[in-house]
Amino acid sequence: MIRNIITLTVNDLAIAFKNKTIYLILFIPLFVFLSLQFVDQKNEELRTIQIGLIQNVEYSPVIIQSLKAADTVFVVSWLATEEEGRRWLKEKKIDGFLLKSEKEPRSLELLVLEKASFQTIAIVEGFSALQIAVEGKSKNWLSDIKSLRDSGIQRQTLPTWILMLVLLVGFIVIPAQIAEEKEKKLLLGLLQTPVRECEWLVAKLFLGMILIHLAVIFLHLLGKFEVENSLSYCAFIGIGSFCFSSFGIFLGFLCRTQASARTLGVLFYLPLLLPSALSDFSQKLHSFAPVLPSYQFYGPIKAILLEGGGVSNFPLEWIYLCFVGLITSLFSYLLLKKRWLM
Amino acid sequence: MLIEVRDLAKIYNGKRGLLQTSFAVEKGELIAIVGHNGAGKSTLLKMLSSWIIPDSGEVLVDGINLENRIALVRKIGFVPETPNLFDFFSVEYNFKLFARLFQIPFSRIEEILKEFNLLTYRHNKVQVLSKGLKQRVSIGRSLLADPPVLLFDEPTSGLDFEMTKEVYRLLKSTHSSGKTILFTSHRPEEIKTLATRIMLLHQGSVVFDGQPQEYFQSKIYENLYA
């Protein structure tokens, strides 16, 4: 009995090696370790904090002098109006700006893009250290922190869930379906009809885009999430679904079986999801994430959903996603023409 | 001449496959392509049906070049060794899908279902059918567009005696309706019963091409199989 169990276990392990499941076992801990390395950064590696001050606001001279003196930590930008400050904040030219507190005239209010972000933590930590160095323990300079994104936590996390859905269809659902069609020779069967390769490819793109749209609509209906700038939102969901469906089709073509397609899908899914979704909490990830197509989708979606941004603010992101979608579609077409791994 | 193959070749990773091969097929022939495993039989059929892209060579089917796949699919029907049907759908759905893609009226489906005794199974999911029935559906589907040439890759592989006889009957009736058929086989009795011409492939080359009688009396047959 034990011998049989050992034989079967060894056989199962051999299958796990053969269908590349073992890569996941090695890859996931490695990926988590690397991500933690990015997130867990040392203080000396912190970049300077871009802080804004409004020209017609009377700040305490001690605070201004302290900020100027701590020029290795804070870089001060003078802003004409509060409106300009909000615009700079949205454009990420500054990390936050200071206003006179309405409740306590001797204190300041900090306005940031998002309360739960590494920039806000860095500003608060920096101010606290500065205040202790200048005045010792006394009343905090900052009496309140306000966020430009004043929506609830459900709304705040919505862009992450949208990104997760889009990538899930793109990297898990689509590659497995392509590989299944290849594995069962269904694709070759269809190519024995007058269907052109490009027609098959476009149909698969439509499948991915429809699935993504359905998932997003369903999530919005369930959560009763409303979108102000719905046209811009649809434009980015559309281009994102095109980009990641196309990427998924390409991955499907690189695999012979469903099992390997699922493994390869996860290998792409996690590195595209996590750095983008965690970029608000880590400076390193924030500087690395923009090279990923997922971040080029996540950033605009976040801005549209939380800050009322529009598609016109993100032309480069739109072009980038379009380019990735087109290039992966072209590769898929060439592999299909060559009957790659069929 | 219905099919003309000139210097067709396909090599997998520097070994096996089909070396440069040329032959011609007349209308109405029923050709058995025989040979050991790895001789290049399936590779040849798969290249003729655009499943595999050849490394070199040229094929003309009724004057249409192999590269013109869209036109060629109406000339060649291919029945693979393992039926490649959408097995989570019904028999009828499989026929309808292909009829739509070929832009064939659905009345043709009724003809095929009747001809292949599949009327009672039309609403059954393919996955619940026996291998023999699946093969029958697969053959029926390849005949939807009424192509003049049919290619069968090991049509009786894995079938029991009754189902094998049924496939023979279908092959004969299809052939007698004027179709040109090429099929690969390992079974001498199948070849004797069905073929009007035999092509023997050995290590990727055609080493015999002639009548069944000549083949079974030839030294080459004795050397390879005796």
Side-chain angles (χ1 to χ4, degrees), chain A residues 70-143:
Chain A
D71 58 353
T72 51
V73 182
F74 290 100
V75 173
V76 177
S77 304
W78 284 97
L79 306 159
T81 58
E82 191 181 326
E83 219 27 64
E84 191 185 31
R86 286 174 188 273
R87 202 176 63 244
W88 278 41
L89 207 51
K90 279 182 189 173
E91 290 167 6
K92 293 185 177 160
K93 287 180 183 169
I94 51 173
D95 297 316
F97 65 91
L98 298 169
L99 293 164
K100 266 268 195 254
S101 173
E102 288 163 10
K103 295 170 197 166
E104 294 178 56
R106 294 183 66 186
S107 295
L108 294 171
E109 268 180 13
L110 173 67
L111 193 73
V112 289
L113 202 56
E114 209 173 325
K115 276 185 186 174
S117 70
F118 73 88
Q119 287 101 336
T120 307
I121 296 165
I123 293 171
V124 173
E125 276 183 349
F127 261 83
S128 179
L130 203 59
Q131 189 185 354
I132 290 167
V134 175
E135 297 181 342
K137 290 261 178 188
S138 68
K139 205 176 175 191
N140 277 342
W141 286 348
L142 294 177
S143 63

Side-chain angles (χ1 to χ4, degrees), chain A residues 164-182:
Chain A
M164 202 187 80
L165 282 179
V166 172
L167 296 183
L168 193 76
V169 175
F171 293 118
I172 307 293
V173 177
I174 297 287
Q177 182 153 349
I178 303 290
E180 183 185 14
E181 283 197 26
K182 283 170 70 183

Side-chain angles (χ1 to χ4, degrees), chain B residues 82-198:
Chain B
T82 309
N84 58 342
L85 302 160
F86 289 86
D87 53 9
F88 28 83
F89 292 122
S90 69
V91 171
E92 190 172 285
Y93 178 92
N94 274 274
F95 282 129
K96 279 187 174 170
L97 174 68
F98 275 65
R100 278 198 188 97
L101 295 173
F102 273 111
Q103 295 175 358
I104 294 167
F106 286 169
S107 56
R108 174 72 180 147
I109 297 174
E110 299 303 318
E111 287 172 26
I112 296 279
L113 287 171
K114 219 175 276 177
E115 198 179 326
F116 286 79
N117 293 325
L118 289 166
L119 280 169
T120 48
Y121 305 103
R122 67 188 302 162
H123 300 303
N124 288 48
K125 277 188 183 178
V126 171
Q127 62 195 10
V128 302
L129 302 180
S130 67
K131 196 186 172 192
L133 275 170
K134 281 182 191 169
Q135 190 69 302
R136 226 194 281 173
V137 176
S138 185
I139 296 171
R141 193 185 67 179
S142 72
L143 280 165
L144 265 180
D146 203 18
V149 179
L150 277 169
L151 311 174
F152 292 82
D153 192 10
E154 313 248 359
T156 56
S157 166
L159 298 185
D160 63 20
F161 180 67
E162 284 303 315
M163 278 299 173
T164 301
K165 267 174 46 183
E166 174 65 17
V167 172
Y168 288 175
R169 187 192 67 76
L170 286 173
L171 274 171
K172 276 183 178 169
S173 67
T174 309
H175 180 235
S176 60
S177 68
K179 307 281 180 201
T180 304
I181 295 174
L182 281 84
F183 70 99
T184 63
S185 179
H186 280 295
R187 300 181 176 190
E189 79 284 357
E190 189 168 286
I191 302 158
K192 268 183 196 166
T193 317
L194 299 168
T196 59
R197 176 180 158 191
I198 290 173

Side-chain angles (χ1 to χ4, degrees), chain A residues 322-335:
Chain A
C322 196
F323 174 74
V324 172
L326 286 173
I327 206 91
T328 45
S329 284
L330 177 70
F331 284 138
S332 300
Y333 178 75
L334 294 174
L335 294 177

